[in-house]
Amino acid sequence: MNAHARPLPAVRDDALATLSALGVDLAALAGADVPARSPINGEVIATLRATTPAQVDAAVERAHLAFLDWRRVPAPRRGELVRLFGEELRAAKDHLGRLVALEAGKVTSEGLGEVQEMIDICDFATGLSRQLHGLTIATERPGHRMMETWHPLGVCGVISAFNFPVAVWCWNAALALVCGDPVVWKPSEKTPLTAQGVQAVFEKALARFGDAPAHLSQVIQGGAQVGAALVAHPKVAVLSATGSTAMGRAVAPVLAARFARAILELGGNNAAIVAPSADLELALRGIAFSAMGTAGQRCTTLRRLFVHEDIADALIGRLKAAYASVPVGDPREAGTLLGPLIDQAAYDGMKAALTEAQACGGKVHGGERVDRPGVYVRPALVEMPSQTGPMLRETFAPILYVVRYRDLTEAIALQNATAAGLASSIFSNDVRETELFISDIGSDCGIANVNIGPSGAEIGGAFGGEKETGGGREAGSDSWKAYMRRATNTLNYSRDLPLAQGVKFDV
Ligand code: UN1
């Protein structure tokens, strides 16, 4: 901290003041089962009440009643609610961003960036509310017309993770609400307070909107059991779940058994390839942000780096310097780039992965625990002899494994040789290489970038990935279709009834 900067307020005071500035009534939440901790120093800020399974059921039933009304409201009018919410988020941006920093441990700029991502999807959804259109399709039958129409689907359940405690809910909620679907949200039990902050801001938009049905957005709190009750509820028509692949494996069969829609955004083990023609300065910056940003706790975090052997020494040397000098500390402090890990379990996972990497012949630079309250680490750069051991799985911590390659086809094969398929990128100025990377025989991920890192997507594109990442798509492009039901309509006002495919059935 520079000598003239004001000292930071105590974590708990800061969090309580931020919550009340957002309009959260903490007394109304007080309970004994969901402790809300700040990873900044591990302190408990408040303890909330867990939702019981019976209360989850009641919440979904209320949401379903809201659905029966909300689906009658014209979509552009539904968009007006989301527009107002975007305005309220603009007004609340500093406080909500601060709360994200306090509860998820993000550095200030990333906390604010997450709220900006909410604002962006609100703008997108507002425009979309006038664009929920289907096709008119040529019909083989004279005098007939065929078209498709899109209709509200039902209650949308959202299960979100600690690492994007507000934006991921908003990608889902903003689209769901314009599509006509009320939302029931189970945030991570590691970040219950940001959910309350968001709900308080949403209620301001609801008050300005005036005549919305009650219970368009509800928050339920607690652990896996609460999530399980939401997933199993027959009136949850679409369920969006973000988290580990293990969580997805538990959720997906339950949704499949009752034929509910699933939007799964699960693990990632994201890679980047650095080719000989790459702009190394630019690659270094792209890699540093993608690998160390959010302390390696994004689902899009860069975890595996394949560097061409001709430039490997130059790039790895610069990366080592960046890793050794990146400022780690209180995320609220100006200049900090790496905040804390979310909890002790995250550190245990990191330590286990580094020990295993060493046993596989990996050379570890960094990765030490930083001595201060909370769980702070130096980011780790690991030179691996080949892609083995912990490199093949996602460890939610700032570890970047580096492997050298000679042939691009081999590097692409290595990058695709993991279970997850979320995000990827190539740094190269050779168009033959970059076109190969984004082609049918290139990266098998849902996100494939050129000369930017794999993380930090904007909301206009569809977000999600293949294989064990779960296949769901959220946010931009045509992701909205997952929140609506499509009807194909064939209309006939002619005097004849010709059957399709030339079938005759004359009675
Ligand atoms: C996540 O980590 O769950 O592309 C979402 C990114 C962010 C979203 C990450 N816009 O890194």
Side-chain angles (χ1 to χ4, degrees):
M1 198 197 316
N2 89 46
H4 306 290
R6 272 194 292 160
L8 290 165
V11 169
R12 191 163 181 276
D13 296 346
D14 197 354
L16 294 176
T18 307
L19 282 161
S20 65
L22 286 165
V24 176
D25 176 8
L26 274 179
L29 302 172
D33 16 38
V34 185
R37 274 175 212 282
S38 172
I40 293 178
N41 61 359
E43 199 179 350
V44 174
I45 295 164
T47 305
L48 283 72
R49 200 179 302 127
T51 310
T52 64
Q55 288 168 335
V56 174
D57 179 63
V60 176
E61 292 295 341
R62 286 194 297 266
H64 183 72
L65 288 179
F67 167 67
L68 299 179
D69 285 345
W70 192 234
R71 65 182 179 170
R72 295 168 178 272
V73 175
R77 174 83 184 131
R78 300 195 296 251
E80 172 62 6
L81 172 61
V82 174
R83 190 188 70 78
L84 293 170
F85 183 40
E87 279 189 1
E88 293 300 332
L89 284 168
R90 282 176 167 88
K93 184 175 174 182
D94 285 348
H95 287 125
L96 196 53
R98 182 76 163 189
L99 196 59
V100 170
L102 284 155
E103 202 183 30
K106 291 194 183 189
V107 296
T108 302
S109 133
E110 290 194 51
L112 292 171
E114 196 180 333
V115 183
Q116 186 58 46
E117 199 160 339
M118 301 176 79
I119 295 167
D120 293 343
I121 194 73
C122 285
D123 288 357
F124 178 93
T126 302
L128 185 70
S129 70
R130 291 179 186 271
Q131 303 260 319
L132 302 171
H133 46 54
L135 299 171
T136 301
I137 299 160
T139 156
E140 67 192 60
R141 285 166 283 186
H144 287 47
R145 181 156 67 87
M146 184 157 60
M147 63 182 190
E148 56 184 21
T149 47
W150 292 87
H151 307 278
L153 184 66
V155 176
C156 174
V158 178
I159 296 178
S160 60
F162 79 85
N163 66 329
F164 270 80
V166 294
V168 170
W169 168 80
C170 203
W171 297 348
N172 287 283
L175 295 192
L177 288 169
V178 301
C179 290
D181 304 345
V183 183
V184 180
W185 179 17
K186 196 211 82 74
S188 165
E189 64 270 41
K190 294 175 186 171
T191 50
L193 294 176
T194 37
Q196 297 301 332
V198 168
Q199 182 71 9
V201 176
F202 184 73
E203 274 162 21
K204 290 180 196 170
L206 275 175
R208 284 173 62 198
F209 183 80
D211 57 351
H215 311 301
L216 275 184
S217 167
Q218 300 173 83
V219 180
I220 56 178
Q221 299 277 14
Q225 273 184 315
V226 177
L230 183 66
V231 171
H233 200 292
K235 287 195 179 129
V236 174
V238 50
L239 190 286
S240 168
T242 301
S244 67
T245 295
M247 181 273 286
R249 271 193 221 291
V251 162
V254 179
L255 295 170
R258 61 180 187 84
F259 303 102
R261 297 259 184 94
I263 303 173
L264 299 177
E265 211 270 275
L266 311 174
N269 191 3
N270 316 297
I273 294 171
V274 188
S277 64
D279 175 337
L280 286 193
E281 198 49 49
L282 185 142
L284 180 76
R285 285 170 44 214
I287 293 164
F289 167 65
S290 289
M292 294 189 280
T294 327
Q297 300 171 110
R298 287 190 188 219
C299 55
T300 51
T301 290
L302 171 58
R303 307 191 184 281
R304 298 178 297 137
L305 188 65
F306 301 104
V307 189
H308 192 275
E309 57 187 18
D310 289 354
I311 49 154
D313 287 338
L315 182 65
I316 294 169
R318 288 156 97 158
L319 275 171
K320 275 196 233 166
Y323 268 65
S325 63
V326 69
V328 177
D330 190 315
R332 299 169 298 168
E333 207 162 280
T336 300
L337 290 179
L338 238 82
L341 295 184
I342 191 71
D343 56 18
Q344 179 65 33
Y347 176 66
D348 295 344
M350 177 172 180
K351 217 172 120 188
L354 293 179
T355 307
E356 203 183 323
Q358 263 163 338
C360 296
K363 210 164 122 199
V364 177
H365 311 278
E368 306 86 5
R369 179 104 184 229
V370 176
D371 185 22
R372 57 182 294 156
V375 184
Y376 292 79
V377 291
R378 299 288 321 165
L381 188 69
V382 186
E383 291 180 82
M384 293 290 281
S386 62
Q387 175 163 264
T388 53
M391 193 171 171
L392 288 162
R393 65 168 193 266
E394 177 186 49
T395 300
F396 232 52
I399 304 175
L400 179 62
Y401 302 103
V402 189
V403 166
R404 296 167 190 237
Y405 80 90
R406 183 170 304 164
D407 169 58
L408 181 62
T409 317
E410 169 213 354
I412 293 174
L414 283 171
Q415 100 110 47
N416 289 345
T418 52
L422 180 55
S424 62
S425 74
I426 186 169
F427 290 90
S428 169
N429 282 312
D430 179 335
V431 180
R432 284 194 184 135
E433 290 189 334
T434 58
E435 287 289 321
L436 173 69
F437 183 75
I438 59 171
S439 76
D440 292 354
I441 57 169
S443 164
D444 64 1
C445 293
I447 295 170
N449 295 335
V450 175
N451 292 326
I452 67 167
S455 82
E458 50 192 272
I459 59 86
F463 182 92
E466 306 304 332
K467 304 190 293 187
E468 287 192 1
T469 302
R473 291 296 186 277
E474 295 170 301
S477 184
D478 63 351
S479 305
W480 61 271
K481 290 180 176 173
Y483 305 84
M484 302 199 88
R485 64 179 172 84
R486 177 196 331 230
T488 300
N489 312 122
T490 306
L491 289 74
N492 175 26
Y493 290 99
S494 76
R495 294 184 192 283
D496 299 316
L497 195 68
L499 299 180
Q501 299 91 38
V503 172
K504 298 282 177 229
F505 199 90
D506 295 324
V507 285

